[in-house]
Amino acid sequence: MTRRASLQRLGAGLLALGAGAAFPLGLAPFDWWPVTPAAAGVLFWLLCRTDARPLLTGWLFGAGKYGVGVSWIYVSIHVYGGASPFLAAFLVAAFVAGMALFHAGVAWAFVRLRPPGPVAAAVAFAAVWVLTEWLLTWFLTGFPWLFAGYAMLDTPLEALAPVGGVLLVGFGAVLTAACLVQWRSRAALIVAALPWLASWSVAGVGWTTPEERHRVALVQGNIDQATKWDEASRTAILERYAGLSDPVWDRDVVVWPEAAITLPLHMAGDFLADMEDRAQGALLLGIVFGEWSPDGARWYNGAVAVGDGDGRYAKRRLVPFGEYVPFQSVLRGLIGFFDLPMSRTVPGDSEQPPLRAGSAALAMAICYEIAYPELVRASARDADALVTISNDTWFGASIGPHQHLQIARMRALENGRYVLRATNNGITAIVDPYGRVVDELPQFEQGVLTGEVAGMAGTTPFGRWGTLAVVAPLMLGLALVLVRRWRARRTPLSED
């Protein structure tokens, strides 16, 4: 290989890495939204080169994307997990390297499937990209984070979210970028405009309608994670949440965050009875509860409704290593991070009814669960509003909590429902059915956020059909490309 060719390969690799690192800058808290589709367009351009090395190029893009975009994991492992800086960096690097394999798969599949023609190539690239994002919503429990569609909130393209969810929005963004790379083709420029025209055509549609209004209060306790699970701090924590709630007990719904009190449910009876006596409406709070059988205790990260409310919810999607430890016989005890206080929970039933708060039915999502479009959609169909409780203290002052709120905003827009988001130290917020933040509390302060929300009636197209409406046509289209390639290879050349 000549020196010039080596330098070109090095430059292509660095460009892929840099484009991946720039990708998260379109997401919260930076919100430079054009950067995200532009980064995808750079990857498309690199893969269209004749000397492209798809596996390496895609992996480098993914390494840059996750290396920047989920850097907040380091805070959890080092600051709160007790791992040394070196070990924490190594574990994060291993996670990033593994996640980058998905983009290596995107690149490899696109190069293998790439149909002739600029428009067809752009569509194929966007399809492979979005199908990989869909894979990340369920494969090995999933990691549905850093999706392209989230960057398009607050742009005209967001109007596609109630139609096909974050995947359709992401498809439109990536397709636009890939087509603009092919700017010499008039057809490609026309196709680049289609997602935006489609979004404009549905932008004014009211998919759901408001009904009964409810006065709500979201309590942010700002409990230090270092002392949260210390038994000596238990009384002070109970007193803080009770004291913060005293001025708002007349509200229809009061929401406390994930694991707000560190007493398990079976030990919290007296305290909850006291809160029921004070509350004029319903109190929803995160709490750990257990079930006992001859096989032993099963612990759940859950939520309950008391007062003028009813129901119990057990978290269904657990965070690997945070709430359960894969291969725990080998890993547990290795470092403090693998033996955190909540790391022995089990998932709840896949189907659970909404919690009741007065006349309102509230769909619950605890922390990480709000990132799963289908999980939230299934719960939202029978609910007037969505409630998500979280403890983002694990991520400190990193970009993680901002990304988490952005994800919650997308769930509100997809389902046409208000979202009440109560967290330990931020970002506590009320989000309207259009994905807009109505109000929020500052991070790292204790406080109470009050407001009004409406129970929403009706269902969005996404609420009715889900991701299937996006995934099925894309899979069918790629299958047709495969069939045509297979037939072309089997057809013998004609002889003159």
Side-chain angles (χ1 to χ4, degrees), residues 189-279:
L189 293 179
I190 293 173
V191 172
L194 292 181
W196 301 84
L197 292 173
S199 183
W200 172 78
S201 71
V202 298
V205 177
W207 303 106
T208 57
T209 55
E211 294 190 329
E212 184 179 2
R213 298 194 69 81
H214 309 276
R215 298 185 308 144
V216 302
L218 313 180
V219 181
Q220 182 171 292
N222 195 36
I223 305 298
D224 187 350
Q225 192 64 35
T227 60
K228 180 177 177 65
W229 292 97
D230 185 352
E231 190 171 341
S233 303
R234 186 173 289 169
T235 300
I237 291 172
L238 298 179
E239 290 176 349
R240 179 175 297 188
Y241 276 104
L244 286 169
S245 303
D246 276 341
V248 294
W249 284 128
D250 62 335
R251 294 274 158 170
D252 300 316
V253 185
V254 177
V255 186
W256 294 358
E258 178 186 14
I261 61 176
T262 52
L263 275 171
L265 182 60
H266 69 278
M267 295 175 60
D270 291 343
F271 176 76
L272 293 180
D274 183 26
M275 297 303 101
E276 284 186 324
D277 290 341
R278 300 190 196 189

Side-chain angles (χ1 to χ4, degrees), residues 92-332:
V92 173
F95 177 76
V96 167
M99 292 302 302
L101 292 175
F102 287 95
H103 272 289
V106 169
W108 179 85
F110 167 67
V111 170
R112 296 283 294 179
L113 292 171
R114 180 185 171 187
V119 172
V123 172
F125 177 75
V128 172
W129 181 292
V130 169
L131 289 174
T132 303
E133 289 189 338
W134 169 71
L135 187 70
L136 286 168
T137 65
W138 58 268
F139 182 70
L140 295 178
T141 76
F143 186 68
W145 218 267
L146 305 184
F147 284 6
Y150 292 123
M152 310 313 291
L153 282 169
D154 303 317
T155 76
L157 213 58
E158 71 175 9
L160 294 178
V163 179
V166 67
L167 295 185
L168 182 60
V169 178
F171 178 78
V174 175
L175 177 62
T176 298
C179 284
L180 290 178
V181 170
Q182 313 270 26
W183 59 272
R184 288 188 177 87
S185 166
R186 183 177 300 177
L189 293 179
I190 293 173
V191 172
L194 292 181
W196 301 84
L197 292 173
S199 183
W200 172 78
S201 71
V202 298
V205 177
W207 303 106
T208 57
T209 55
E211 294 190 329
E212 184 179 2
R213 298 194 69 81
H214 309 276
R215 298 185 308 144
V216 302
L218 313 180
V219 181
Q220 182 171 292
N222 195 36
I223 305 298
D224 187 350
Q225 192 64 35
T227 60
K228 180 177 177 65
W229 292 97
D230 185 352
E231 190 171 341
S233 303
R234 186 173 289 169
T235 300
I237 291 172
L238 298 179
E239 290 176 349
R240 179 175 297 188
Y241 276 104
L244 286 169
S245 303
D246 276 341
V248 294
W249 284 128
D250 62 335
R251 294 274 158 170
D252 300 316
V253 185
V254 177
V255 186
W256 294 358
E258 178 186 14
I261 61 176
T262 52
L263 275 171
L265 182 60
H266 69 278
M267 295 175 60
D270 291 343
F271 176 76
L272 293 180
D274 183 26
M275 297 303 101
E276 284 186 324
D277 290 341
R278 300 190 196 189
Q280 298 176 31
L283 168 64
L284 274 63
L285 72 151
I287 192 168
V288 176
F289 60 84
E291 293 179 351
W292 286 264
S293 70
D295 297 328
R298 294 170 60 87
W299 290 99
Y300 300 92
N301 183 4
V304 296
V306 299
D308 186 21
D310 180 64
R312 187 169 76 171
Y313 174 82
K315 188 177 181 183
R316 292 171 283 178
R317 293 292 180 96
L318 304 181
V319 180
F321 302 105
E323 291 175 309
Y324 75 97
V325 178
F327 315 111
Q328 63 174 331
S329 61
V330 176
L331 296 178
R332 191 173 295 281

